[in-house]
mmCIF file of all heavy atoms in Angstrom:
data_model
loop_
_atom_site.group_PDB
_atom_site.id
_atom_site.type_symbol
_atom_site.label_atom_id
_atom_site.label_comp_id
_atom_site.label_asym_id
_atom_site.label_seq_id
_atom_site.Cartn_x
_atom_site.Cartn_y
_atom_site.Cartn_z
ATOM 1 N N LYS W 1 143.224 -124.148 161.331
ATOM 2 C CA LYS W 1 144.495 -124.875 161.219
ATOM 3 C C LYS W 1 144.920 -125.453 162.564
ATOM 4 O O LYS W 1 145.405 -126.587 162.638
ATOM 5 C CB LYS W 1 145.585 -123.952 160.670
ATOM 6 C CG LYS W 1 145.375 -123.569 159.227
ATOM 7 C CD LYS W 1 146.352 -122.478 158.800
ATOM 8 C CE LYS W 1 146.034 -121.974 157.406
ATOM 9 N NZ LYS W 1 146.881 -120.834 157.025
ATOM 10 N N ALA W 2 144.721 -124.683 163.644
ATOM 11 C CA ALA W 2 145.063 -125.179 164.979
ATOM 12 C C ALA W 2 144.172 -126.367 165.353
ATOM 13 O O ALA W 2 144.635 -127.321 165.982
ATOM 14 C CB ALA W 2 144.943 -124.070 166.015
ATOM 15 N N ALA W 3 142.896 -126.320 164.953
ATOM 16 C CA ALA W 3 141.981 -127.425 165.251
ATOM 17 C C ALA W 3 142.365 -128.691 164.489
ATOM 18 O O ALA W 3 142.117 -129.804 164.961
ATOM 19 C CB ALA W 3 140.551 -127.024 164.912
ATOM 20 N N LEU W 4 142.978 -128.540 163.327
ATOM 21 C CA LEU W 4 143.374 -129.689 162.512
ATOM 22 C C LEU W 4 144.707 -130.305 162.945
ATOM 23 O O LEU W 4 145.044 -131.405 162.525
ATOM 24 C CB LEU W 4 143.476 -129.284 161.038
ATOM 25 C CG LEU W 4 142.157 -128.908 160.371
ATOM 26 C CD1 LEU W 4 142.425 -128.341 158.981
ATOM 27 C CD2 LEU W 4 141.225 -130.099 160.314
ATOM 28 N N THR W 5 145.454 -129.586 163.747
ATOM 29 C CA THR W 5 146.758 -130.087 164.194
ATOM 30 C C THR W 5 146.638 -130.438 165.682
ATOM 31 O O THR W 5 145.716 -131.122 166.073
ATOM 32 C CB THR W 5 147.857 -129.071 163.869
ATOM 33 O OG1 THR W 5 147.480 -127.777 164.363
ATOM 34 C CG2 THR W 5 148.096 -128.980 162.374
ATOM 35 N N GLN W 6 147.560 -129.999 166.516
ATOM 36 C CA GLN W 6 147.494 -130.351 167.935
ATOM 37 C C GLN W 6 148.068 -129.239 168.797
ATOM 38 O O GLN W 6 148.932 -128.483 168.359
ATOM 39 C CB GLN W 6 148.236 -131.662 168.192
ATOM 40 C CG GLN W 6 149.656 -131.653 167.696
ATOM 41 C CD GLN W 6 150.198 -133.044 167.462
ATOM 42 O OE1 GLN W 6 149.608 -134.016 167.856
ATOM 43 N NE2 GLN W 6 151.350 -133.127 166.822
ATOM 44 N N THR W 7 147.562 -129.152 170.016
ATOM 45 C CA THR W 7 148.084 -128.175 170.966
ATOM 46 C C THR W 7 148.817 -128.855 172.120
ATOM 47 O O THR W 7 149.345 -128.177 172.986
ATOM 48 C CB THR W 7 146.965 -127.275 171.524
ATOM 49 O OG1 THR W 7 145.960 -128.105 172.111
ATOM 50 C CG2 THR W 7 146.359 -126.423 170.414
ATOM 51 N N SER W 8 148.858 -130.186 172.140
ATOM 52 C CA SER W 8 149.546 -130.917 173.188
ATOM 53 C C SER W 8 150.216 -132.151 172.590
ATOM 54 O O SER W 8 149.621 -132.852 171.777
ATOM 55 C CB SER W 8 148.541 -131.340 174.266
ATOM 56 O OG SER W 8 149.191 -132.005 175.312
ATOM 57 N N ILE W 9 151.454 -132.393 173.033
ATOM 58 C CA ILE W 9 152.224 -133.544 172.560
ATOM 59 C C ILE W 9 152.841 -134.229 173.772
ATOM 60 O O ILE W 9 153.419 -133.560 174.638
ATOM 61 C CB ILE W 9 153.355 -133.103 171.592
ATOM 62 C CG1 ILE W 9 152.776 -132.454 170.339
ATOM 63 C CG2 ILE W 9 154.251 -134.276 171.228
ATOM 64 C CD1 ILE W 9 153.825 -131.840 169.424
ATOM 65 N N GLY W 10 152.739 -135.544 173.842
ATOM 66 C CA GLY W 10 153.404 -136.321 174.871
ATOM 67 C C GLY W 10 154.647 -136.986 174.304
ATOM 68 O O GLY W 10 154.585 -137.600 173.239
ATOM 69 N N ILE W 11 155.765 -136.846 175.012
ATOM 70 C CA ILE W 11 157.040 -137.404 174.547
ATOM 71 C C ILE W 11 157.670 -138.203 175.692
ATOM 72 O O ILE W 11 157.885 -137.655 176.780
ATOM 73 C CB ILE W 11 158.011 -136.289 174.102
ATOM 74 C CG1 ILE W 11 157.384 -135.459 172.992
ATOM 75 C CG2 ILE W 11 159.348 -136.873 173.655
ATOM 76 C CD1 ILE W 11 158.115 -134.178 172.705
ATOM 77 N N PRO W 12 157.989 -139.472 175.467
ATOM 78 C CA PRO W 12 158.677 -140.241 176.510
ATOM 79 C C PRO W 12 160.071 -139.670 176.769
ATOM 80 O O PRO W 12 160.701 -139.091 175.864
ATOM 81 C CB PRO W 12 158.788 -141.644 175.925
ATOM 82 C CG PRO W 12 158.055 -141.642 174.644
ATOM 83 C CD PRO W 12 157.756 -140.244 174.258
ATOM 84 N N VAL W 13 160.525 -139.841 177.997
ATOM 85 C CA VAL W 13 161.881 -139.446 178.380
ATOM 86 C C VAL W 13 162.585 -140.692 178.898
ATOM 87 O O VAL W 13 162.050 -141.413 179.735
ATOM 88 C CB VAL W 13 161.858 -138.340 179.458
ATOM 89 C CG1 VAL W 13 163.251 -138.105 180.034
ATOM 90 C CG2 VAL W 13 161.277 -137.059 178.877
ATOM 91 N N GLU W 14 163.771 -140.939 178.359
ATOM 92 C CA GLU W 14 164.578 -142.091 178.767
ATOM 93 C C GLU W 14 166.038 -141.653 178.807
ATOM 94 O O GLU W 14 166.503 -140.950 177.902
ATOM 95 C CB GLU W 14 164.395 -143.236 177.768
ATOM 96 C CG GLU W 14 165.157 -144.479 178.128
ATOM 97 C CD GLU W 14 164.923 -145.583 177.118
ATOM 98 O OE1 GLU W 14 165.009 -145.308 175.890
ATOM 99 O OE2 GLU W 14 164.676 -146.709 177.541
ATOM 100 N N GLY W 15 166.738 -142.041 179.837
ATOM 101 C CA GLY W 15 168.144 -141.658 179.959
ATOM 102 C C GLY W 15 168.336 -140.158 180.058
ATOM 103 O O GLY W 15 169.368 -139.638 179.643
ATOM 104 N N GLY W 16 167.350 -139.456 180.591
ATOM 105 C CA GLY W 16 167.452 -138.011 180.751
ATOM 106 C C GLY W 16 167.320 -137.228 179.463
ATOM 107 O O GLY W 16 167.700 -136.061 179.410
ATOM 108 N N ARG W 17 166.763 -137.881 178.419
ATOM 109 C CA ARG W 17 166.619 -137.209 177.117
ATOM 110 C C ARG W 17 165.234 -137.496 176.532
ATOM 111 O O ARG W 17 164.723 -138.610 176.677
ATOM 112 C CB ARG W 17 167.671 -137.694 176.126
ATOM 113 C CG ARG W 17 169.106 -137.395 176.540
ATOM 114 C CD ARG W 17 170.136 -137.896 175.533
ATOM 115 N NE ARG W 17 169.851 -137.559 174.163
ATOM 116 C CZ ARG W 17 170.203 -136.421 173.544
ATOM 117 N NH1 ARG W 17 170.856 -135.508 174.216
ATOM 118 N NH2 ARG W 17 169.919 -136.230 172.284
ATOM 119 N N PRO W 18 164.659 -136.531 175.830
ATOM 120 C CA PRO W 18 163.407 -136.820 175.122
ATOM 121 C C PRO W 18 163.651 -137.892 174.069
ATOM 122 O O PRO W 18 164.674 -137.876 173.378
ATOM 123 C CB PRO W 18 163.046 -135.499 174.441
ATOM 124 C CG PRO W 18 163.920 -134.466 175.046
ATOM 125 C CD PRO W 18 165.109 -135.161 175.619
ATOM 126 N N VAL W 19 162.748 -138.848 173.952
ATOM 127 C CA VAL W 19 162.901 -139.938 172.987
ATOM 128 C C VAL W 19 162.302 -139.473 171.662
ATOM 129 O O VAL W 19 161.117 -139.652 171.398
ATOM 130 C CB VAL W 19 162.225 -141.240 173.481
ATOM 131 C CG1 VAL W 19 162.406 -142.349 172.454
ATOM 132 C CG2 VAL W 19 162.791 -141.659 174.833
ATOM 133 N N LEU W 20 163.141 -138.839 170.863
ATOM 134 C CA LEU W 20 162.760 -138.373 169.529
ATOM 135 C C LEU W 20 163.546 -139.163 168.495
ATOM 136 O O LEU W 20 164.678 -139.587 168.753
ATOM 137 C CB LEU W 20 163.050 -136.877 169.357
ATOM 138 C CG LEU W 20 162.209 -135.934 170.216
ATOM 139 C CD1 LEU W 20 162.792 -134.524 170.168
ATOM 140 C CD2 LEU W 20 160.762 -135.935 169.759
ATOM 141 N N GLY W 21 162.949 -139.345 167.326
ATOM 142 C CA GLY W 21 163.639 -140.014 166.237
ATOM 143 C C GLY W 21 164.783 -139.166 165.708
ATOM 144 O O GLY W 21 164.872 -137.960 165.975
ATOM 145 N N THR W 22 165.633 -139.767 164.918
ATOM 146 C CA THR W 22 166.828 -139.106 164.392
ATOM 147 C C THR W 22 166.531 -137.776 163.722
ATOM 148 O O THR W 22 167.240 -136.799 163.923
ATOM 149 C CB THR W 22 167.536 -140.040 163.376
ATOM 150 O OG1 THR W 22 167.849 -141.260 164.038
ATOM 151 C CG2 THR W 22 168.793 -139.397 162.828
ATOM 152 N N TRP W 23 165.473 -137.699 162.935
ATOM 153 C CA TRP W 23 165.169 -136.491 162.171
ATOM 154 C C TRP W 23 163.962 -135.731 162.717
ATOM 155 O O TRP W 23 163.440 -134.855 162.063
ATOM 156 C CB TRP W 23 164.949 -136.825 160.704
ATOM 157 C CG TRP W 23 166.068 -137.619 160.123
ATOM 158 C CD1 TRP W 23 166.006 -138.889 159.632
ATOM 159 C CD2 TRP W 23 167.435 -137.221 159.997
ATOM 160 N NE1 TRP W 23 167.237 -139.310 159.215
ATOM 161 C CE2 TRP W 23 168.146 -138.299 159.425
ATOM 162 C CE3 TRP W 23 168.141 -136.063 160.324
ATOM 163 C CZ2 TRP W 23 169.503 -138.255 159.168
ATOM 164 C CZ3 TRP W 23 169.499 -136.018 160.070
ATOM 165 C CH2 TRP W 23 170.163 -137.099 159.491
ATOM 166 N N GLN W 24 163.509 -136.091 163.927
ATOM 167 C CA GLN W 24 162.338 -135.419 164.487
ATOM 168 C C GLN W 24 162.725 -134.178 165.263
ATOM 169 O O GLN W 24 163.680 -134.184 166.038
ATOM 170 C CB GLN W 24 161.561 -136.360 165.420
ATOM 171 C CG GLN W 24 160.786 -137.425 164.699
ATOM 172 C CD GLN W 24 159.981 -138.274 165.658
ATOM 173 O OE1 GLN W 24 160.440 -138.618 166.745
ATOM 174 N NE2 GLN W 24 158.776 -138.615 165.239
ATOM 175 N N GLY W 25 161.943 -133.124 165.064
ATOM 176 C CA GLY W 25 162.087 -131.895 165.827
ATOM 177 C C GLY W 25 160.727 -131.426 166.297
ATOM 178 O O GLY W 25 159.698 -131.804 165.739
ATOM 179 N N LEU W 26 160.734 -130.588 167.318
ATOM 180 C CA LEU W 26 159.510 -129.989 167.839
ATOM 181 C C LEU W 26 159.363 -128.583 167.277
ATOM 182 O O LEU W 26 160.321 -127.794 167.308
ATOM 183 C CB LEU W 26 159.560 -129.925 169.362
ATOM 184 C CG LEU W 26 159.473 -131.266 170.051
ATOM 185 C CD1 LEU W 26 159.942 -131.162 171.490
ATOM 186 C CD2 LEU W 26 158.049 -131.773 169.993
#
């Protein structure tokens, strides 16, 4: 299951905040 998903995620930061969509969570 770990091989099918991911162990690293890159997220842009703008205005001192992670740039996530309205309904996105980590």
Side-chain angles (χ1 to χ4, degrees):
K1 291 171 187 174
L4 293 172
T5 51
Q6 54 202 349
T7 56
S8 182
I9 297 173
I11 302 167
V13 170
E14 182 179 47
R17 297 180 48 87
V19 180
L20 293 168
T22 302
W23 308 116
Q24 286 183 320
L26 290 163

